[in-house]
């Protein structure tokens, strides 16, 4: 590439009138070791551009979206819930208690009921006796007022 | 669309997204986060990807908007973007650039440009997009792109010549 041509291209370059192809020509020219002394200043400019082009993005992009993750958690939660309800209800549904057990349970129930009734009766008796305490209260009031 | 399809779509331009983000945010870390964010946003819209006629341009626009928002919120918080790129041993580019001092000036000079010129210069001289595409990405008309680009290139040239004349090394 002759020098006159490069100078002309440079002029166009600074007016932003060069095409991509012409700019590539310039870059090629300035990437060689020897350039015309008065154009030495531009060498670093074009060299910088070609070096800067080499820089790469190396970081990993975590593409696994969080939304997906939540979706699977909710699926698992629903599964656990359904299984829980199913197995939780099973014993009461299949309630095959045999008659003897039932009778024994009923007797125990009656016994307990009777025992509780006795307790409450006695408790009521005790409470009646407590009414006498009210007399104390009355006398106390009479004396003090 | 599954993950593999999506990755195939983004492979051609994910580096460009990163470089644009880095141009605007300067910090490596910030740029990586921004790229990740943008790609995840794209992933969440994967069902609509077929409807966009130019996914790449759409993504670049998204990147631009995201980074500018980021810069704005940083400014509002009165915080400066802190970058510690010089400690990052992994970026071979940074080392390469550092080795050649005058080349690293270019990147420093570019940092001083206004946002719009930065983006235009990045998209044209580094990513080599056509004016029409850049216009589409930045929501500008192609003439405005040319004007901004010419201004950016001239500013960089002036600053570069200034530096060279001072003989700072």
């Amino acid at each position: 590439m002759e020098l006159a041509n490069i100078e002309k291209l440079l002029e166009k370059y600074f007016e932003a009138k060069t095409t991509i192809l012409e700019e590539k020509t310039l870059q090629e020219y300035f990437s060689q070791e020897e350039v015309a002394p008065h154009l030495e200043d531009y060498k670093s400019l074009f060299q910088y551009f070609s070096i800067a082009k080499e820089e790469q993005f190396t970081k990993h992009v975590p593409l696994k979206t969080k939304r997906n993750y939540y979706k699977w958690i909710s699926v698992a939660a629903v599964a656990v819930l359904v299984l829980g309800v199913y197995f939780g209800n099973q014993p009461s549904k299949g309630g095959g208690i045999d008659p003897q057990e039932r009778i024994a349970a009923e007797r125990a129930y009656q016994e307990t009921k009777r025992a509780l009734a006795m307790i409450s009766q006695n408790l009521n008796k005790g409470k009646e006796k407590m009414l006498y305490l009210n007399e104390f209260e009355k006398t106390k009031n009479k004396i003090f007022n | 669309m599954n993950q593999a399809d999506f990755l195939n779509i983004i492979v051609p331009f994910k580096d460009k997204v990163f470089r644009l983000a880095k141009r605007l945010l300067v910090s490596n870390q910030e740029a990586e986060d921004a790229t990740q964010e943008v790609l995840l946003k794209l992933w969440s819209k994967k069902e609509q990807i077929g409807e966009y006629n130019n996914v790449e341009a759409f993504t670049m626009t998204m990147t631009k908007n995201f980074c500018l928002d980021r810069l704005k919120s940083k400014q509002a918080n009165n915080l400066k973007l802190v970058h510690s790129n010089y400690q990052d041993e992994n970026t071979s580019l940074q080392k390469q650039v550092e080795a050649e001092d005058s080349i690293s000036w270019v990147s420093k000079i570019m940092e001083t440009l206004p946002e719009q010129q930065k983006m235009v210069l990045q998209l044209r001289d580094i990513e080599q997009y056509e004016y029409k595409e850049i216009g589409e990405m930045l929501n500008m008309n192609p003439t405005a792109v040319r004007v901004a680009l010419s201004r950016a290139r001239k500013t960089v040239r002036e600053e570069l010549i200034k530096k060279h004349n001072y003989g700072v090394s």
Side-chain angles (χ1 to χ4, degrees):
Chain A
M1 186 60 59
E2 53 198 295
L3 197 58
N5 199 358
I6 292 292
E7 280 174 356
K8 213 183 287 170
L9 280 185
L10 261 181
E11 209 169 293
K12 268 173 85 184
Y13 170 79
F14 284 107
E15 294 305 324
K17 284 176 181 155
T18 37
T19 62
I20 298 267
L21 204 66
E22 288 169 329
E23 284 167 21
K24 273 188 182 148
T25 314
L26 281 173
Q27 276 200 346
E28 258 165 51
Y29 174 76
F30 283 104
S31 65
Q32 43 185 346
E33 282 296 308
E34 291 289 312
V35 298
H38 66 290
L39 297 181
E40 195 75 39
D41 282 346
Y42 303 124
K43 202 175 159 184
S44 49
L45 180 62
F46 287 99
Q47 275 182 356
Y48 173 74
F49 289 150
S50 30
I51 291 175
K53 211 181 299 179
E54 300 301 313
E55 196 165 8
Q56 285 178 343
F57 177 65
T58 47
K59 210 174 166 189
H60 176 69
V61 184
L63 285 184
K64 281 265 176 259
T65 42
K66 273 186 185 156
R67 209 180 41 205
N68 230 352
Y69 179 65
Y70 283 128
K71 206 158 68 189
W72 283 111
I73 284 208
S74 58
V75 167
V78 166
V80 165
L81 207 68
V82 166
L83 286 178
V85 167
Y86 180 69
F87 285 112
N89 281 344
Q90 232 178 13
S92 63
K93 254 195 244 167
I97 307 171
D98 59 307
Q100 276 200 339
E101 234 175 298
R102 178 183 284 269
I103 288 162
E106 220 140 81
R107 193 173 296 151
Y109 174 65
Q110 294 299 346
E111 287 292 328
T112 319
K113 225 167 122 182
R114 204 152 356 115
L116 284 176
M118 207 163 80
I119 289 175
S120 70
Q121 255 174 23
N122 286 332
L123 208 69
N124 281 342
K125 246 189 245 165
K127 239 172 90 185
E128 270 165 36
K129 298 272 189 262
M130 291 262 280
L131 279 175
Y132 293 120
L133 286 174
N134 279 347
E135 292 302 317
F136 275 117
E137 190 74 21
K138 271 185 210 157
T139 6
K140 188 192 82 185
N141 284 345
K142 257 184 216 160
I143 291 166
F144 283 107
N145 294 331
Chain B
M1 175 177 304
N2 61 29
Q3 266 193 47
D5 293 337
F6 181 75
L7 289 176
N8 281 336
I9 289 177
I10 63 166
V11 156
F13 59 80
K14 72 175 179 17
D15 293 335
K16 295 180 185 178
V17 168
F18 173 64
R19 291 191 290 250
L20 179 63
K22 192 171 169 191
R23 179 66 58 211
L24 288 168
L25 301 174
V26 181
S27 147
N28 238 331
Q29 198 78 47
E30 286 275 348
E32 276 178 354
D33 290 351
T35 311
Q36 201 175 48
E37 204 66 35
V38 166
L39 292 178
L40 283 178
K41 254 187 214 169
L42 196 66
W43 169 247
S44 69
K45 286 184 191 159
K46 58 184 187 296
E47 307 306 334
Q48 293 127 277
I49 276 182
E51 292 165 24
Y52 306 124
N53 40 9
N54 190 344
V55 182
E56 185 168 336
F58 174 75
T59 313
M60 293 308 259
T61 311
M62 239 162 74
T63 312
K64 175 203 92 177
N65 291 337
F66 183 85
C67 292
L68 292 184
D69 280 354
R70 201 87 188 98
L71 286 173
K72 216 182 279 173
S73 75
K74 289 270 169 185
Q75 252 166 17
N77 288 339
N78 218 359
L79 281 170
K80 275 193 87 178
L81 281 169
V82 183
H83 67 101
S84 48
N85 293 355
Y86 16 77
Q87 288 162 1
D88 198 348
E89 298 292 326
N90 302 329
T91 45
S92 60
L93 172 90
Q94 207 61 30
K95 272 196 224 154
Q96 249 174 300
V97 168
E98 232 69 86
E100 190 77 64
D101 223 13
S102 69
I103 292 180
S104 77
W105 282 344
V106 180
S107 112
K108 278 175 199 145
I109 292 166
M110 273 182 85
E111 269 178 45
T112 64
L113 292 174
E115 253 86 52
Q116 199 187 48
Q117 290 183 22
K118 245 187 235 179
M119 289 189 284
V120 172
L121 199 59
Q122 170 79 17
L123 294 175
R124 178 65 180 193
D125 277 340
I126 294 170
E127 312 300 359
Q128 293 176 323
Y129 284 115
E130 292 290 348
Y131 294 121
K132 218 185 102 211
E133 291 174 296
I134 298 174
E136 200 182 317
M137 288 168 192
L138 303 185
N139 199 15
M140 295 162 75
N141 69 42
T143 324
V145 172
R146 270 175 205 268
V147 172
L149 183 61
S150 170
R151 252 179 228 156
R153 283 171 175 173
K154 281 177 179 165
T155 313
V156 174
R157 175 178 64 177
E158 271 163 37
E159 291 295 316
L160 207 55
I161 289 174
K162 233 190 258 172
K163 285 251 156 83
H164 280 243
N165 287 345
Y166 288 151
V168 191
S169 61

